[in-house]
Amino acid sequence: KTADGCNVMVSWSLTEQPHIEITIGISNPGYTCDQDSYGKITIQIKVDQNGSVIYASVLEKGDASQCMINQAIKYAKLSRFNYSITATPNQIGTITYTFISQ
């Protein structure tokens, strides 16, 4: 799944379908770092049954700046998925932020 906004493309995936059907919100950092910043950062996440991201860490960072890495982790933790009583507790997935220079 993908969402665009503020020239930062966001894609995500989780291991199970119940959380994937509807998202409450995948947070997008937009331009919170230098406007000339560009790069791709993949954050590994863990999502509980309530849809809250309870863990986020860098999986891949390429040439991303430290500011972009920090913002990607921060915004991944702010993301929320739909509640699912049938979902496996603590699903593992990823959120990938692709920063595009203005």
Side-chain angles (χ1 to χ4, degrees), residues 36-84:
D36 293 328
S37 297
Y38 63 92
K40 185 175 181 178
I41 304 164
T42 300
I43 304 296
Q44 183 174 37
I45 58 171
K46 189 181 289 186
V47 179
D48 67 13
Q49 286 179 308
N50 291 323
S52 298
V53 176
I54 57 172
Y55 171 83
S57 70
V58 176
L59 192 59
E60 296 177 25
K61 62 180 180 175
D63 293 333
S65 70
Q66 190 60 51
C67 177
M68 292 163 54
I69 293 166
N70 292 344
Q71 293 299 81
I73 291 171
K74 174 183 174 180
Y75 280 79
K77 288 178 179 178
L78 293 172
S79 297
R80 296 291 177 261
F81 295 84
N82 64 304
Y83 168 81
S84 175

Side-chain angles (χ1 to χ4, degrees), residues 1-3 9-23 25-27 40-48 51-53 55-57 59-60 76 79-82 90-97:
K1 307 240 184 234
T2 61
M9 302 221 13
V10 179
S11 61
W12 57 275
S13 68
L14 287 173
T15 55
E16 284 196 20
Q17 189 66 22
H19 281 309
I20 294 176
E21 291 175 0
I22 302 170
T23 59
I26 302 298
S27 294
K40 185 175 181 178
I41 304 164
T42 300
I43 304 296
Q44 183 174 37
I45 58 171
K46 189 181 289 186
V47 179
D48 67 13
S52 298
V53 176
Y55 171 83
S57 70
L59 192 59
E60 296 177 25
S79 297
R80 296 291 177 261
F81 295 84
N82 64 304
N90 303 331
Q91 288 187 51
I92 301 296
T94 60
I95 300 176
T96 300
Y97 296 98

Side-chain angles (χ1 to χ4, degrees), residues 5-6 8 10 27-33 68 71-72 75 97 99:
C6 302
V8 177
V10 179
S27 294
N28 187 330
Y31 280 111
T32 53
C33 297
M68 292 163 54
Q71 293 299 81
Y75 280 79
Y97 296 98
F99 292 78

